[in-house]
Amino acid sequence: MKIISLLAFAISGVGVFPKVLAHPHRTTRPDHVVKFRRNQSVDDMTESPTLVQLYDQAHEAVQYEVWKHDQTTACTSEKLVFRREYGSLTRQEKLDYINAVKCLQTLPARTPANVSSGARSRFDDFIVTHIQQTLSIHFTGNFQPWHRWFVYQYEKALRDECGYTGYQPYWDWPKYASAPQDSPMFDGSETSIGGNGNYIPHDGAVIVPPPGTGGINISLPSGLGGGFVTTGAFAHMQVNLGPVVPLQDGTPTGPEFGLGYNPRGLKRDLGPLANTRFANYTTVLDLLQKPDIDCYRYLLDGTPWEPEIGPHGGIHYTIGGDPGGDLFTGPGDPAFYLHHSMMDRMWSTWQALGGFGGNRFTNFGTGNYSHVTWGNFPPSDFTKLTDKIDMGYAAPSTTIDKVMSTVSEEFCYFYF
Ligand SMILES: *[C@@H]1O[C@H](CO)[C@@H](O)[C@H](O)[C@H]1NC(C)=O
Ligand SMILES: *[C@@H]1O[C@H](CO)[C@@H](O)[C@H](O)[C@H]1NC(C)=O
Ligand SMILES: *[C@@H]1O[C@H](CO)[C@@H](O)[C@H](O)[C@H]1NC(C)=O
Ligand SMILES: *[C@@H]1O[C@H](CO)[C@@H](O)[C@H](O)[C@H]1NC(C)=O
Ligand SMILES: *[C@@H]1O[C@H](CO)[C@@H](O)[C@H](O)[C@H]1NC(C)=O
């Protein structure tokens, strides 16, 4: 018999939890947050008690779920592990993580040269897989399941192939929104995953929508870098692949649709503007309170080719530079995995808040992000639980139904 707090029962049953979701279509904020609206920057840049409460509730729900699992499934309370916020890791834990990523960058690629002549390492195998499938794994029903499996397999490679004993840390987007370049992730110290790019004067990126989509040009704010990363653990890191659609002015595309060899230095363009505007505390609170997956996805990803790009794109463009600013080659910047770990933290938290056994573990909605083509363009079938998640040469493939919960099948993790 496991010890479990009464609070957990209350939350999983009929206590605090249903109150939070009692008004699933609520569009206004809870009272004590509304008070702050008089000064929007305080509201958006401060973690509200409501948000803390939601994280706690999700946490308790997960612990109750794995407690129920005991003796019947693989994911028991004893086995449950936690991914943590990068800044909360000890100095040694950060160095261990960094060294494991560097190790992955030195192991030989498994991708054959006739598939990608530019892939030089195990780190690159993951980039190849992402480049090849970019158009069928974004703004699609499989987006979140695919990236959950992708990040998990990357974490597994760090552990199994590079002796890492920790788990994939995450980037808590709003926590450092007013100065991400000074956060523990990017401050340029030896425990950062590399500093910002050196400052070079440049314009913000413009997203130009493809012909036929009816979208407008989206001008993004520029960051405080734009040049090469020359400080921190990944100073002077060599990028081999991409870019396919470089955003920063003057960056040429790489050969062979990004799969050819294109050695160059890592660039970043971190700064507060996109982070503050698209991924602040209000964004995260709103996201976790979305009543269904369609609403959730429209905030997370924005509407295609419209300026409200949401926190997913907002943080990719906060990293910016090359290859971070390229949707295709994004995993070529180690920061990608911290961002997508937070993406998964959001999704798994939102799932837990809906209750285990509920439709947040099975349903992809009916909106344009629930199909197998990019924003349902051209119109296509709905994503199904039995659809394959293809990892190419990076890792084993699976099916979507196997990855819908972080505490079942092969998974047994949550976020701290
Ligand atoms: C809002 O809060 C910020 C940060 O505390 C402060 O600098 C600013 O002056 C405030 N603005 C108003 C209108 O109160
Ligand atoms: C790559 O080469 C191997 C044999 O060397 C072959 O089996 C495979 O089909 C080739 N792949 C492509 C995409 O050409
Ligand atoms: C969008 O940007 C592209 C590339 O800079 C430019 O050619 C085009 O005229 C712009 N479209 C509009 C509507 O501003
Ligand atoms: C916070 O994010 C929301 C979108 O989620 C945005 O509407 C708001 O303007 C942002 N706040 C600031 C201060 O930029
Ligand atoms: C959804 O996709 C269809 C088919 O591509 C398109 O006609 C429609 O305008 C899209 N709806 C929205 C809200 O984007």
Side-chain angles (χ1 to χ4, degrees):
M1 180 70 187
K2 299 287 167 334
I3 308 293
I4 184 154
S5 72
L6 277 178
L7 183 59
F9 279 112
I11 284 161
S12 311
V14 289
V16 185
F17 182 57
K19 281 187 208 145
V20 175
L21 294 183
H23 309 286
H25 296 286
R26 176 175 66 200
T27 53
T28 54
R29 292 168 181 75
D31 289 348
H32 62 280
V33 179
V34 171
K35 272 192 298 198
F36 285 119
R37 293 304 289 185
R38 281 179 286 123
N39 187 334
Q40 176 161 324
S41 68
V42 171
D43 177 20
D44 292 347
M45 303 305 284
T46 307
E47 187 169 40
S48 70
T50 311
L51 180 58
V52 175
Q53 195 188 357
L54 290 180
Y55 284 134
D56 286 350
Q57 283 168 9
H59 214 272
E60 297 275 7
V62 167
Q63 291 194 328
Y64 178 57
E65 177 65 15
V66 297
W67 173 79
K68 284 195 302 183
H69 280 175
D70 280 357
Q71 299 161 2
T72 56
T73 74
C75 186
T76 60
S77 307
E78 288 78 14
K79 290 187 190 143
L80 184 67
V81 299
F82 293 95
R83 293 180 178 169
R84 292 164 51 204
E85 190 266 310
Y86 194 77
S88 76
L89 303 181
T90 65
R91 175 188 159 76
Q92 192 56 51
E93 287 167 340
K94 289 182 186 117
L95 292 174
D96 289 348
Y97 177 73
I98 287 163
N99 288 332
V101 174
K102 286 185 171 178
C103 156
L104 211 59
Q105 293 179 334
T106 62
L107 295 181
R110 292 181 187 169
T111 309
N114 63 352
V115 172
S116 168
S117 66
R120 290 291 189 273
S121 69
R122 284 289 287 136
F123 183 79
D124 288 351
D125 287 337
F126 287 85
I127 309 170
V128 169
T129 295
H130 192 270
I131 289 176
Q132 288 177 320
Q133 297 178 51
T134 293
L135 298 176
S136 56
I137 56 170
H138 298 99
F139 303 98
T140 47
N142 70 0
F143 170 61
Q144 299 186 103
W146 195 96
H147 285 80
R148 172 174 283 171
W149 186 244
F150 187 68
V151 172
Y152 173 78
Q153 289 298 334
Y154 178 81
E155 174 187 74
K156 196 166 186 301
L158 295 176
R159 290 173 57 82
D160 295 354
E161 300 171 44
C162 286
Y164 180 51
T165 55
Y167 298 93
Q168 176 59 47
Y170 65 89
W171 172 350
D172 190 357
W173 308 321
K175 190 175 170 73
Y176 309 104
S178 55
Q181 72 281 1
D182 297 332
S183 72
M185 293 168 288
F186 302 114
D187 64 9
S189 67
E190 61 171 338
T191 55
S192 68
I193 57 161
N196 199 1
N198 292 328
Y199 175 70
I200 51 166
H202 62 287
D203 294 327
V206 179
I207 303 175
V208 181
T213 54
I216 57 164
N217 287 359
I218 303 169
S219 295
L220 297 167
S222 63
L224 304 172
F228 292 115
V229 172
T230 60
T231 58
F234 291 94
H236 309 289
M237 184 192 122
Q238 179 177 310
V239 179
N240 298 325
L241 296 160
V244 179
V245 185
L247 280 187
Q248 195 162 309
D249 45 336
T251 311
T253 55
E256 298 167 42
F257 196 73
L259 299 176
Y261 190 49
N262 185 22
R264 61 201 190 279
L266 173 68
K267 290 180 177 176
R268 283 185 183 141
D269 191 23
L270 290 153
L273 294 179
N275 197 155
T276 306
R277 174 63 182 78
F278 298 111
N280 57 57
Y281 277 115
T282 303
T283 314
V284 166
L285 178 61
D286 285 351
L287 191 59
L288 293 180
Q289 292 180 324
K290 289 298 178 193
D292 61 54
I293 191 66
D294 288 319
C295 299
Y296 182 96
R297 292 289 310 276
Y298 276 114
L299 172 56
L300 182 75
D301 302 330
T303 311
W305 320 120
E306 287 186 15
E308 198 61 52
I309 61 174
H312 169 242
I315 292 292
H316 277 304
Y317 299 128
T318 294
I319 302 168
D322 173 33
D326 175 17
L327 178 71
F328 289 75
T329 323
D333 186 323
F336 176 96
Y337 294 95
L338 279 79
H339 173 31
H340 269 277
S341 189
M342 178 67 174
M343 287 283 293
D344 189 57
R345 178 191 185 216
M346 289 289 100
W347 185 36
S348 55
T349 299
W350 181 81
Q351 289 183 299
L353 289 171
F356 281 86
N359 76 358
R360 294 182 183 187
F361 294 89
T362 53
N363 184 282
F364 299 108
T366 55
N368 272 358
Y369 295 159
S370 52
H371 296 257
V372 299
T373 51
W374 180 292
N376 194 27
F377 185 86
S380 62
D381 290 344
F382 284 116
T383 296
K384 297 187 300 295
L385 286 168
T386 49
D387 289 352
K388 188 179 178 188
I389 295 177
D390 186 351
M391 283 291 112
Y393 290 93
S397 298
T398 187
T399 50
I400 291 177
D401 55 344
K402 301 280 192 289
V403 306
M404 290 302 286
S405 163
T406 67
V407 295
S408 71
E409 299 288 343
E410 194 173 326
F411 295 149
C412 194
Y413 72 87
F414 198 60
Y415 291 86
F416 202 69

